[in-house]
Amino acid sequence: MTHEAAGVPTTRNDEDRQDNDRPDAPRPAPGAGDAPEAPDASGAAEAAAGEPGGPEDAAQRPEARLARAVQVAEQALIEFEIAVETFRVEVENFSRLHHQKLGPMYTRLDELDALIAEARAARTGDPEDERKAREARAVVMPMPGVDELFHDWMDTDGLSPEAAAMLTEQPVRPPKRVRPSEEARRLYRDLARKAHPDLAQDEVERQRRDEFIARVNAAYGRGDVELLKELVAEWEAGPVQPPAPLSESEELYARLEWLSRRKELLTELAKELEDGAIGSMLRMAPDDPDQLLEDIAEQLLGEVSRREAELAEMVQ
């Protein structure tokens, strides 16, 4: 059985609900089971087109209308992000409560399924029943072996020297040193002469050289000739030139394009949350998810009782 990830349950009180009933109350963020809706892009388009009116509107610069469209889109995206994040927290919180409350029951059901399958296989001796018993047992999480717990801390002679040194607060053996080749030394000396920070004419250039030399030192320390060659080519190509400045219209259009892409990503995230197992459960009881957990727990307890009775009959 699949067990969902965990989250912390949220609280809902009557005072919040009474406040939301007032006509002047602000619209609340989506609650449990309420997937957020993507903002309508038509608002930004209408703002860009401008609303026909007096001569002041007619004389409005296109850039001003475009800036208004960007502002509308930004506000809509902010509200949408808040709604998606609120829904994500709802899903995460319900997931954690689901795991805390129902996880032990799922684990018990898995164990009972394995015990029943093993008892059936022992009774029949059928290879197919034995295969099913092995599969059922594999579902139950096994205890990790010593080698899994200690990873590289143990070898055939017991604790590795590094592990023993760490546990006894002794110095750990340093890593094996790499002796750079003659070509690596040559490349390193060449780069150090050309890119030395002391050759910088201003602070910005010094910072660029400092960062570059740090990468050179790291590559030389590993004896990485190929990376040193790449760094030589990078230095010879010179610093990356900043792109040509955009016009006001180009900047605004680029901003609108980014906002559109961001909205699409958030829409996909909201759909994934809504279509997920926990999101689907929240849609079943958006007003009282806690009661839904109680109902599921009652069903699981019934399943546990039935399996325990079945197992008891098989081992008699």
Side-chain angles (χ1 to χ4, degrees), residues 70-91:
V70 170
Q71 184 180 20
V72 170
E74 287 175 340
Q75 290 301 317
L77 184 65
I78 289 172
E79 294 300 324
F80 188 44
E81 289 203 43
I82 293 172
V84 171
E85 179 62 15
T86 302
F87 186 56
R88 186 194 65 77
V89 171
E90 289 276 1
V91 170

Side-chain angles (χ1 to χ4, degrees), residues 47-285:
E51 297 180 2
E56 189 174 321
D57 290 329
Q60 191 178 33
R61 294 171 55 239
E63 290 81 0
R65 295 198 301 269
L66 188 58
R68 174 58 182 162
V70 170
Q71 184 180 20
V72 170
E74 287 175 340
Q75 290 301 317
L77 184 65
I78 289 172
E79 294 300 324
F80 188 44
E81 289 203 43
I82 293 172
V84 171
E85 179 62 15
T86 302
F87 186 56
R88 186 194 65 77
V89 171
E90 289 276 1
V91 170
E92 184 177 288
N93 291 342
F94 188 75
S95 176
R96 179 170 299 164
L97 184 59
H98 175 274
H99 181 75
Q100 291 173 344
K101 189 175 186 64
L102 306 182
M105 298 184 191
Y106 286 127
T107 301
R108 178 57 178 163
L109 284 173
D110 288 342
E111 176 66 23
L112 288 169
D113 286 340
L115 291 172
I116 291 171
E118 289 166 350
R120 183 178 294 110
R123 176 183 295 180
T124 64
D126 189 316
E128 180 64 16
D129 288 339
E130 293 176 353
R131 182 188 65 80
K132 292 180 180 179
R134 288 193 298 272
E135 291 180 352
R137 176 54 61 185
V139 172
V140 183
M141 184 176 293
M143 288 294 292
V146 173
D147 55 339
E148 295 177 88
L149 286 171
F150 287 92
H151 298 289
D152 297 330
W153 281 44
M154 297 193 72
D155 52 27
T156 54
D157 298 325
L159 284 175
S160 65
E162 289 81 4
M166 292 176 69
L167 293 175
T168 55
E169 298 184 358
Q170 298 298 316
V172 178
R173 184 175 60 190
K176 180 181 178 181
R177 294 188 177 277
V178 176
R179 181 173 178 79
S181 65
E182 189 60 37
E183 184 177 11
R185 292 195 192 94
R186 178 183 61 78
L187 292 168
Y188 172 73
R189 286 194 294 267
D190 184 47
L191 284 167
R193 292 191 187 101
K194 293 178 178 178
H196 199 283
D198 288 345
L199 299 176
Q201 300 297 317
D202 54 55
E203 189 57 34
V204 174
E205 177 65 10
R206 171 177 285 278
Q207 183 177 354
R208 182 176 82 90
R209 287 171 177 263
D210 281 337
E211 294 172 354
F212 184 80
I213 285 296
R215 293 162 59 199
V216 171
N217 290 338
Y220 181 64
R222 297 193 300 269
D224 193 334
V225 173
E226 293 304 316
L227 180 54
L228 287 170
K229 289 180 179 179
E230 293 177 8
L231 290 169
V232 169
E234 179 182 330
W235 184 259
E236 291 177 350
V240 178
Q241 297 298 324
L246 300 175
S247 66
E248 182 181 358
S249 296
E250 289 172 332
E251 288 183 355
L252 290 169
Y253 275 116
R255 179 63 175 168
L256 275 177
E257 184 179 352
W258 181 88
L259 290 168
S260 177
R261 290 198 304 268
R262 177 66 177 164
K263 187 203 74 172
E264 291 175 0
L265 291 174
L266 288 171
T267 302
E268 292 178 4
L269 174 59
K271 189 176 188 309
E272 290 177 4
L273 290 170
E274 186 180 18
D275 293 344
I278 294 297
S280 299
M281 292 177 65
L282 283 172
R283 289 204 309 273
M284 295 170 59

